[in-house]
Short mmCIF file of all heavy atoms in Angstrom, two decimals:
data_model
loop_
_atom_site.label_atom_id
_atom_site.label_comp_id
_atom_site.label_asym_id
_atom_site.label_seq_id
_atom_site.Cartn_x
_atom_site.Cartn_y
_atom_site.Cartn_z
N ILE T 474 45.90 69.87 -11.03
CA ILE T 474 45.28 71.13 -11.42
C ILE T 474 46.32 72.15 -11.86
O ILE T 474 46.23 72.73 -12.94
CB ILE T 474 44.42 71.70 -10.27
CG1 ILE T 474 43.26 70.75 -9.95
CG2 ILE T 474 43.90 73.09 -10.61
CD1 ILE T 474 42.42 71.18 -8.78
N ILE T 475 47.31 72.37 -11.03
CA ILE T 475 48.28 73.42 -11.35
C ILE T 475 49.14 73.02 -12.54
O ILE T 475 49.53 73.87 -13.36
CB ILE T 475 49.16 73.73 -10.11
CG1 ILE T 475 49.91 75.05 -10.36
CG2 ILE T 475 50.14 72.60 -9.81
CD1 ILE T 475 50.59 75.58 -9.12
N ASP T 476 49.44 71.73 -12.69
CA ASP T 476 50.24 71.29 -13.84
C ASP T 476 49.48 71.50 -15.15
O ASP T 476 50.03 72.00 -16.13
CB ASP T 476 50.61 69.81 -13.69
CG ASP T 476 51.78 69.63 -12.73
OD1 ASP T 476 52.33 70.64 -12.27
OD2 ASP T 476 52.14 68.47 -12.45
N ARG T 477 48.21 71.11 -15.14
CA ARG T 477 47.41 71.29 -16.36
C ARG T 477 47.25 72.77 -16.67
O ARG T 477 47.29 73.16 -17.84
CB ARG T 477 46.04 70.62 -16.20
CG ARG T 477 46.08 69.10 -16.25
CD ARG T 477 44.68 68.55 -16.52
NE ARG T 477 43.74 68.93 -15.47
CZ ARG T 477 43.47 68.20 -14.40
NH1 ARG T 477 44.09 67.03 -14.23
NH2 ARG T 477 42.60 68.60 -13.50
N TYR T 478 47.05 73.57 -15.66
CA TYR T 478 46.82 74.99 -15.87
C TYR T 478 48.06 75.66 -16.45
O TYR T 478 47.99 76.40 -17.45
CB TYR T 478 46.44 75.66 -14.55
CG TYR T 478 46.09 77.13 -14.68
CD1 TYR T 478 44.87 77.53 -15.18
CD2 TYR T 478 47.02 78.11 -14.33
CE1 TYR T 478 44.56 78.88 -15.32
CE2 TYR T 478 46.72 79.46 -14.46
CZ TYR T 478 45.50 79.84 -14.96
OH TYR T 478 45.19 81.16 -15.10
N VAL T 479 49.22 75.43 -15.84
CA VAL T 479 50.47 76.04 -16.33
C VAL T 479 50.81 75.52 -17.72
O VAL T 479 51.23 76.29 -18.60
CB VAL T 479 51.62 75.77 -15.34
CG1 VAL T 479 52.94 76.26 -15.92
CG2 VAL T 479 51.35 76.45 -14.00
N ALA T 480 50.60 74.22 -17.94
CA ALA T 480 50.91 73.65 -19.26
C ALA T 480 50.04 74.27 -20.34
O ALA T 480 50.51 74.56 -21.44
CB ALA T 480 50.72 72.13 -19.23
N ARG T 481 48.74 74.48 -20.03
CA ARG T 481 47.85 75.12 -21.02
C ARG T 481 48.30 76.54 -21.33
O ARG T 481 48.26 76.98 -22.48
CB ARG T 481 46.41 75.12 -20.51
CG ARG T 481 45.68 73.81 -20.65
CD ARG T 481 44.17 74.02 -20.55
NE ARG T 481 43.80 74.66 -19.29
CZ ARG T 481 43.48 74.01 -18.18
NH1 ARG T 481 43.48 72.69 -18.17
NH2 ARG T 481 43.15 74.66 -17.08
N GLU T 482 48.71 77.27 -20.30
CA GLU T 482 49.17 78.65 -20.50
C GLU T 482 50.40 78.72 -21.40
O GLU T 482 50.62 79.70 -22.10
CB GLU T 482 49.46 79.31 -19.16
CG GLU T 482 48.23 79.57 -18.30
CD GLU T 482 47.29 80.57 -18.95
OE1 GLU T 482 47.77 81.53 -19.57
OE2 GLU T 482 46.06 80.38 -18.84
N VAL T 483 51.22 77.68 -21.37
CA VAL T 483 52.44 77.65 -22.19
C VAL T 483 52.18 77.07 -23.57
O VAL T 483 52.69 77.58 -24.58
CB VAL T 483 53.54 76.85 -21.46
CG1 VAL T 483 54.75 76.64 -22.36
CG2 VAL T 483 53.95 77.56 -20.17
N LEU T 484 51.38 76.01 -23.62
CA LEU T 484 51.16 75.32 -24.90
C LEU T 484 50.37 76.17 -25.89
O LEU T 484 50.59 76.07 -27.10
CB LEU T 484 50.44 73.99 -24.66
CG LEU T 484 51.30 72.86 -24.10
CD1 LEU T 484 50.43 71.66 -23.75
CD2 LEU T 484 52.36 72.46 -25.12
N GLY T 485 49.44 76.99 -25.38
CA GLY T 485 48.65 77.84 -26.29
C GLY T 485 49.53 78.77 -27.10
O GLY T 485 49.53 78.71 -28.34
N PRO T 486 50.31 79.65 -26.46
CA PRO T 486 51.21 80.53 -27.22
C PRO T 486 52.25 79.75 -28.02
O PRO T 486 52.63 80.17 -29.12
CB PRO T 486 51.88 81.39 -26.14
CG PRO T 486 50.97 81.32 -24.97
CD PRO T 486 50.33 79.98 -25.02
N PHE T 487 52.70 78.61 -27.49
CA PHE T 487 53.70 77.81 -28.20
C PHE T 487 53.17 77.34 -29.56
O PHE T 487 53.86 77.46 -30.58
CB PHE T 487 54.10 76.60 -27.35
CG PHE T 487 54.88 75.56 -28.10
CD1 PHE T 487 56.22 75.76 -28.40
CD2 PHE T 487 54.27 74.38 -28.52
CE1 PHE T 487 56.94 74.79 -29.10
CE2 PHE T 487 54.97 73.42 -29.22
CZ PHE T 487 56.31 73.63 -29.51
N ALA T 488 51.95 76.82 -29.58
CA ALA T 488 51.37 76.34 -30.84
C ALA T 488 51.20 77.48 -31.84
O ALA T 488 51.50 77.32 -33.04
CB ALA T 488 50.03 75.66 -30.57
N VAL T 489 50.72 78.63 -31.36
CA VAL T 489 50.57 79.78 -32.26
C VAL T 489 51.93 80.24 -32.79
O VAL T 489 52.08 80.54 -33.98
CB VAL T 489 49.85 80.93 -31.52
CG1 VAL T 489 49.81 82.18 -32.40
CG2 VAL T 489 48.44 80.51 -31.13
N ASP T 490 52.92 80.28 -31.92
CA ASP T 490 54.25 80.76 -32.32
C ASP T 490 54.91 79.82 -33.31
O ASP T 490 55.62 80.27 -34.22
CB ASP T 490 55.15 80.93 -31.09
CG ASP T 490 54.64 82.00 -30.15
OD1 ASP T 490 53.95 82.92 -30.64
OD2 ASP T 490 54.90 81.92 -28.94
N VAL T 491 54.70 78.52 -33.16
CA VAL T 491 55.26 77.57 -34.12
C VAL T 491 54.71 77.86 -35.52
O VAL T 491 55.45 77.90 -36.52
CB VAL T 491 54.93 76.11 -33.73
CG1 VAL T 491 55.23 75.16 -34.88
CG2 VAL T 491 55.76 75.70 -32.52
N GLY T 492 53.39 78.10 -35.60
CA GLY T 492 52.79 78.41 -36.89
C GLY T 492 53.30 79.72 -37.48
O GLY T 492 53.65 79.79 -38.66
N LEU T 493 53.36 80.76 -36.65
CA LEU T 493 53.79 82.07 -37.14
C LEU T 493 55.26 82.07 -37.56
O LEU T 493 55.62 82.60 -38.62
CB LEU T 493 53.55 83.14 -36.07
CG LEU T 493 52.09 83.45 -35.75
CD1 LEU T 493 52.00 84.47 -34.62
CD2 LEU T 493 51.36 83.98 -36.99
N LEU T 494 56.12 81.48 -36.73
CA LEU T 494 57.55 81.48 -37.04
C LEU T 494 57.85 80.62 -38.26
O LEU T 494 58.68 80.99 -39.09
CB LEU T 494 58.33 80.98 -35.82
CG LEU T 494 58.29 81.87 -34.58
CD1 LEU T 494 58.94 81.17 -33.39
CD2 LEU T 494 58.98 83.20 -34.85
N THR T 495 57.18 79.49 -38.38
CA THR T 495 57.39 78.63 -39.55
C THR T 495 56.91 79.33 -40.81
O THR T 495 57.57 79.28 -41.86
CB THR T 495 56.65 77.30 -39.38
OG1 THR T 495 57.07 76.67 -38.16
CG2 THR T 495 56.94 76.37 -40.54
N PHE T 496 55.77 80.02 -40.72
CA PHE T 496 55.27 80.77 -41.87
C PHE T 496 56.25 81.87 -42.28
O PHE T 496 56.47 82.11 -43.47
CB PHE T 496 53.91 81.37 -41.55
CG PHE T 496 53.35 82.23 -42.66
CD1 PHE T 496 52.79 81.65 -43.78
CD2 PHE T 496 53.40 83.62 -42.58
CE1 PHE T 496 52.28 82.44 -44.81
CE2 PHE T 496 52.90 84.41 -43.59
CZ PHE T 496 52.34 83.83 -44.71
N ALA T 497 56.87 82.52 -41.28
CA ALA T 497 57.85 83.57 -41.58
C ALA T 497 59.06 83.00 -42.31
O ALA T 497 59.57 83.63 -43.25
CB ALA T 497 58.28 84.26 -40.29
N LEU T 498 59.52 81.82 -41.92
CA LEU T 498 60.66 81.20 -42.59
C LEU T 498 60.29 80.76 -44.00
O LEU T 498 61.08 80.91 -44.94
CB LEU T 498 61.17 80.01 -41.78
CG LEU T 498 61.83 80.35 -40.45
CD1 LEU T 498 62.20 79.06 -39.71
CD2 LEU T 498 63.08 81.21 -40.65
N VAL T 499 59.08 80.21 -44.16
CA VAL T 499 58.65 79.77 -45.49
C VAL T 499 58.48 80.96 -46.42
O VAL T 499 58.78 80.89 -47.62
CB VAL T 499 57.34 78.96 -45.39
CG1 VAL T 499 56.77 78.67 -46.79
CG2 VAL T 499 57.58 77.66 -44.64
N THR T 500 58.02 82.09 -45.86
CA THR T 500 57.84 83.30 -46.68
C THR T 500 59.14 83.72 -47.34
O THR T 500 59.15 84.23 -48.46
CB THR T 500 57.29 84.44 -45.80
OG1 THR T 500 56.06 84.03 -45.21
CG2 THR T 500 57.04 85.68 -46.64
N GLY T 501 60.27 83.49 -46.64
CA GLY T 501 61.56 83.85 -47.22
C GLY T 501 61.88 83.06 -48.48
O GLY T 501 62.71 83.49 -49.30
N LYS T 502 61.25 81.89 -48.65
CA LYS T 502 61.47 81.06 -49.85
C LYS T 502 60.39 81.26 -50.90
O LYS T 502 60.51 80.71 -52.00
CB LYS T 502 61.50 79.59 -49.44
CG LYS T 502 62.64 79.21 -48.50
CD LYS T 502 63.97 79.24 -49.21
CE LYS T 502 65.07 78.74 -48.29
NZ LYS T 502 66.40 78.79 -48.94
N LEU T 503 59.35 82.03 -50.59
CA LEU T 503 58.22 82.12 -51.51
C LEU T 503 58.60 82.72 -52.86
O LEU T 503 58.10 82.29 -53.90
CB LEU T 503 57.09 82.93 -50.87
CG LEU T 503 56.26 82.21 -49.80
CD1 LEU T 503 55.17 83.11 -49.27
CD2 LEU T 503 55.67 80.92 -50.37
N LEU T 504 59.46 83.74 -52.86
CA LEU T 504 59.85 84.36 -54.12
C LEU T 504 60.52 83.36 -55.04
O LEU T 504 60.23 83.30 -56.24
CB LEU T 504 60.76 85.56 -53.86
CG LEU T 504 60.10 86.78 -53.20
CD1 LEU T 504 61.13 87.87 -52.96
CD2 LEU T 504 58.96 87.31 -54.07
N LYS T 505 61.43 82.55 -54.48
CA LYS T 505 62.09 81.54 -55.30
C LYS T 505 61.12 80.46 -55.74
O LYS T 505 61.19 79.96 -56.88
CB LYS T 505 63.25 80.92 -54.53
CG LYS T 505 64.39 81.89 -54.26
CD LYS T 505 65.52 81.23 -53.51
CE LYS T 505 66.66 82.22 -53.27
NZ LYS T 505 67.80 81.59 -52.54
N LEU T 506 60.19 80.10 -54.86
CA LEU T 506 59.20 79.10 -55.22
C LEU T 506 58.26 79.62 -56.30
O LEU T 506 57.90 78.88 -57.24
CB LEU T 506 58.41 78.68 -53.99
CG LEU T 506 59.20 77.91 -52.92
CD1 LEU T 506 58.34 77.70 -51.68
CD2 LEU T 506 59.68 76.57 -53.45
N MET T 507 57.86 80.88 -56.21
CA MET T 507 57.00 81.46 -57.23
C MET T 507 57.74 81.59 -58.56
O MET T 507 57.15 81.47 -59.63
CB MET T 507 56.49 82.83 -56.78
CG MET T 507 55.46 82.77 -55.65
SD MET T 507 53.98 81.80 -56.08
CE MET T 507 54.32 80.24 -55.23
N ASP T 508 59.05 81.83 -58.48
CA ASP T 508 59.85 81.87 -59.71
C ASP T 508 59.84 80.51 -60.39
O ASP T 508 59.81 80.42 -61.62
CB ASP T 508 61.29 82.28 -59.37
CG ASP T 508 62.18 82.27 -60.60
OD1 ASP T 508 62.02 83.18 -61.45
OD2 ASP T 508 63.04 81.37 -60.72
N MET T 509 59.84 79.44 -59.61
CA MET T 509 59.77 78.10 -60.18
C MET T 509 58.44 77.88 -60.88
O MET T 509 58.35 77.21 -61.92
CB MET T 509 59.98 77.06 -59.09
CG MET T 509 61.36 77.08 -58.46
SD MET T 509 61.53 75.90 -57.11
CE MET T 509 61.47 74.36 -58.00
N VAL T 510 57.36 78.46 -60.32
CA VAL T 510 56.04 78.31 -60.92
C VAL T 510 55.94 79.10 -62.22
O VAL T 510 55.47 78.61 -63.25
CB VAL T 510 54.94 78.76 -59.93
CG1 VAL T 510 53.57 78.76 -60.60
CG2 VAL T 510 54.93 77.86 -58.71
N VAL T 511 56.42 80.37 -62.18
CA VAL T 511 56.25 81.27 -63.32
C VAL T 511 57.21 80.95 -64.46
O VAL T 511 56.82 80.88 -65.63
CB VAL T 511 56.41 82.74 -62.87
CG1 VAL T 511 56.34 83.68 -64.07
CG2 VAL T 511 55.34 83.10 -61.85
N ASN T 512 58.49 80.74 -64.11
CA ASN T 512 59.52 80.63 -65.15
C ASN T 512 59.94 79.21 -65.47
O ASN T 512 60.61 78.99 -66.48
CB ASN T 512 60.77 81.43 -64.73
CG ASN T 512 60.48 82.91 -64.60
OD1 ASN T 512 59.71 83.48 -65.36
ND2 ASN T 512 61.11 83.56 -63.62
N HIS T 513 59.59 78.24 -64.63
CA HIS T 513 60.05 76.88 -64.86
C HIS T 513 58.92 75.88 -65.04
O HIS T 513 59.16 74.68 -65.10
CB HIS T 513 60.96 76.44 -63.71
CG HIS T 513 62.20 77.26 -63.57
ND1 HIS T 513 63.36 76.98 -64.25
CD2 HIS T 513 62.46 78.38 -62.85
CE1 HIS T 513 64.29 77.87 -63.94
NE2 HIS T 513 63.76 78.73 -63.09
#
C-alpha cells in the first residue's frame, strides 16, 4: 500500500514534468525548424 501510494505521488508529477521540460527544449529549436520549412 505505502509503496504504491508514494510511487503514484512521484510518478504523476514526473510524467508531467518530462513532457513540459522536453517541450521547453524543443521550443528552443522551433525557430530553426520553422526556418527550414519556410526558406528551405
